[in-house]
Amino acid sequence: MNKIVIAIDGWSSCGKSTMARQLARLLNYIFIDSGAMYRAITLFFIRNHIAIEKVDEVEKALQDIHLEFKLNSTTLNNEIWMNGENVDTLIRDIKVAERVSEVAALAQVRDFAVAQQRLIGAQKGIVMDGRDIGSVVFPEAELKIFMTADPEIRVTRRLKELQAKDPSITVEEVRKNLATRDHIDSTRAISPLRQPEDAIVLDNSNLTPDQQLDLALTWAKERIGLH
Ligand code: CDP
């Protein structure tokens, strides 16, 4: 069957990963959450007190980071491992979210992550979500979706997710984090968050997960040539 690359980009917490994961499962494709790579690198930098303004220190740290996605046979989710440790839950912590956009803005970090993303996608049959997947990582992707949602709806969704793990998280913290990340991600010099011209815009403010998945599946099947 004709395998394609599906790139899903968009603002923080608008449900990209949820949709990408479900879509990949239905198509029997690989799902890669590119944000998980930036989050894992950030966790390593926090743990090892890396000074991000020091180019040499950053380069040296990246040499010590080995990232892998491994299938969890119970949940059937692809989880991220760093240097032999499953960090998939740890990287979702607000402390990582507070630092990730500064780290993801660094040229060496982007080169490191993008090279691995392109390798993983070389065989096609992949759904990858992030900020620059359709614009930079796979500009030739057969299907590009740009997801957006009302900012307050995004805050509410992310608050619910984070509070399930840590009830002390406040709405203000989450609102500030999303606003700061959206600002840094869309104004950074390298690969800023942009809506590719050839992307389909999906505003899911008023859509259920099933409704958005139906839309994405229809677009994917059209591109694959399945009807
Ligand atoms: O899921 P959420 O929207 O919170 O973000 P994420 O996909 O986990 O990404 C975390 C951060 O990684 C983003 O805020 C960006 O700073 C960075 N990122 C990026 O620069 N490029 C990507 N392709 C994916 C994520």
Side-chain angles (χ1 to χ4, degrees), residues 22-38:
Q22 294 171 331
L23 187 60
R25 205 166 282 172
L26 290 174
L27 295 170
N28 210 7
Y29 275 23
I30 294 168
F31 159 60
I32 297 291
D33 169 4
S34 69
M37 301 175 74
Y38 294 100

Side-chain angles (χ1 to χ4, degrees), residues 55-161:
V55 177
D56 293 358
E57 218 171 289
V58 168
E59 257 159 27
K60 160 107 198 18
L62 289 172
Q63 285 169 13
D64 292 335
I65 300 178
H66 176 70
L67 299 177
E68 275 173 291
F69 284 95
K70 290 197 210 172
L71 188 73
N72 176 323
S73 55
T74 311
T75 62
L76 297 182
N77 286 335
N78 235 353
E79 295 178 339
I80 191 158
W81 290 62
M82 179 169 65
N83 299 339
E85 175 189 359
N86 184 338
V87 291
D88 206 78
T89 301
L90 275 177
I91 58 163
R92 315 285 165 194
D93 195 280
I94 188 102
K95 297 212 162 42
V96 173
E98 280 166 2
R99 303 281 302 280
V100 64
S101 287
E102 309 162 64
V103 171
L106 302 172
Q108 307 100 296
V109 169
R110 300 211 72 78
D111 288 348
F112 175 85
V114 170
Q116 297 182 35
Q117 290 155 11
R118 288 192 177 134
L119 268 182
I120 303 171
Q123 304 296 316
K124 299 208 173 192
I126 189 166
V127 186
M128 193 176 291
D129 82 305
R131 302 292 185 286
D132 60 341
I133 308 305
S135 55
V136 174
V137 183
F138 299 119
E140 308 300 330
E142 287 85 352
L143 174 60
K144 299 180 186 177
I145 301 175
F146 189 85
M147 283 178 68
T148 179
D150 176 84
E152 268 313 291
I153 292 179
R154 296 195 269 126
V155 170
T156 311
R157 289 177 183 159
R158 184 49 56 96
L159 180 67
K160 206 171 139 201
E161 253 172 49

Side-chain angles (χ1 to χ4, degrees), residues 180-213:
T180 307
R181 282 203 286 135
D182 283 348
H183 176 73
I184 300 176
D185 293 347
S186 57
T187 56
R188 68 186 176 214
I190 310 162
S191 310
L193 170 65
R194 286 275 177 278
Q195 179 186 318
E197 267 182 28
D198 49 354
I200 303 176
V201 178
L202 177 58
D203 181 335
N204 68 8
S205 307
N206 299 305
L207 295 179
T208 64
D210 281 352
Q211 287 171 325
Q212 67 176 15
L213 182 61

